């Protein structure tokens, strides 16, 4: 995720190389720009508006890292013949993580904005959806009854027309017989 105050700065100047994340926690692979295959860890569950950049990242040749290496930087990675660090996910809840050390390797493409509603609001919206679905179901049942009554009325009208046609035709046949 990205703080609201950083959006314009990132859009204009690209990403900032830092040794700590937004919460002040040391980044596992030193001062770099971190990317993931999933937005889930960065989306936050706190209520309110949030922002997230969808980026194009030139990873080049990635070094596989299984453990934190706080001293990594662009020079040490280049000397080892790599352009980025790849830390594969360790569990189902995790996601793959990539780190680049040259901000020119990362191009912010789209800024995604989303809102997280408080549980009470979400619960109320869910109740409204359930209520609307129940009303839709009741209206569908009413419509089915009305259509059934209409079909019954059409059938009765057709039977009545046949009886009337038969009564009109009967005196004509009686006159012809005389």
């Amino acid at each position: 995720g990205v703080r609201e105050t950083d959006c314009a700065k990132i859009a204009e100047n690209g990403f900032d190389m830092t040794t700590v994340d937004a919460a002040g926690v040391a980044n596992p692979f030193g001062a770099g720009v971190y990317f993931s295959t999933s937005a889930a860890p960065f989306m936050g569950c706190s209520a309110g508006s949030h922002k997230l950049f969808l980026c194009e990242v030139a990873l080049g040749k990635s070094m596989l890292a299984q453990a934190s290496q706080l001293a990594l930087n662009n020079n040490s990675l280049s000397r080892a013949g790599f352009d980025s660090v790849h830390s594969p996910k360790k569990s189902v809840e995790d996601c793959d993580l990539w780190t680049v050390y040259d901000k020119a390797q990362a191009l912010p493409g789209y800024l995604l904005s989303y809102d997280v509603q408080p549980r009470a609001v979400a619960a109320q919206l869910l109740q409204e959806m359930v209520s609307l679905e129940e009303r839709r179901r009741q209206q569908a049942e009413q419509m089915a009854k009305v259509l059934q009554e209409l079909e019954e009325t059409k059938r009765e009208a057709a039977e009545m027309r046949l009886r009337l046609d038969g009564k009109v035709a009967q005196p004509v046949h009686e006159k012809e017989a005389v």
Side-chain angles (χ1 to χ4, degrees), residues 37-66:
T37 54
S38 170
F42 308 104
M43 293 184 77
C45 293
S46 59
S49 296
H50 301 276
K51 302 212 179 286
L52 182 74
F53 274 105
L54 182 62
C55 303
E56 290 186 46
V57 183
L59 297 172
K61 185 177 179 184
S62 293
M63 178 179 87
L64 188 62
Q66 299 294 339

Side-chain angles (χ1 to χ4, degrees), residues 1 5 26 28 36 47 50 53 59 63 72-73 78-79 83 99 107 117 128 135 137 149 153 158 166 168 173:
T5 55
S36 173
H50 301 276
F53 274 105
L59 297 172
M63 178 179 87
L72 278 178
N73 60 39
S78 293
R79 281 194 307 271
D83 304 297
T99 308
L107 177 65
Q117 299 296 328
E128 288 178 23
R135 284 181 43 206
R137 188 191 59 74
E149 290 173 5
T153 302
V168 169
H173 288 302

Side-chain angles (χ1 to χ4, degrees), residues 24-130:
V25 177
N27 284 323
F29 302 106
V33 184
Y34 290 75
F35 298 94
S36 173
T37 54
S38 170
F42 308 104
M43 293 184 77
C45 293
S46 59
S49 296
H50 301 276
K51 302 212 179 286
L52 182 74
F53 274 105
L54 182 62
C55 303
E56 290 186 46
V57 183
L59 297 172
K61 185 177 179 184
S62 293
M63 178 179 87
L64 188 62
Q66 299 294 339
S68 293
Q69 298 179 33
L70 299 175
L72 278 178
N73 60 39
N74 198 25
N75 290 335
S76 61
L77 201 63
S78 293
R79 281 194 307 271
F82 296 101
D83 304 297
S84 63
V85 173
H86 174 219
S87 175
K89 65 182 181 176
K90 295 168 183 59
S91 70
V92 188
E93 296 84 27
D94 283 344
C95 55
D96 287 320
L97 185 69
W98 278 271
T99 308
V100 296
Y101 298 90
D102 179 352
K103 67 181 187 176
Q105 289 176 259
L107 177 65
Y110 298 94
L111 179 60
L112 308 176
S113 298
Y114 61 96
D115 292 322
V116 175
Q117 299 296 328
R119 286 182 190 237
V121 173
Q124 181 183 359
L125 290 173
L126 185 58
Q127 282 180 327
E128 288 178 23
M129 288 174 58
V130 168

Side-chain angles (χ1 to χ4, degrees), residues 17-33:
M17 300 292 181
T18 182
T19 56
V20 294
D21 66 13
V25 177
N27 284 323
F29 302 106
V33 184

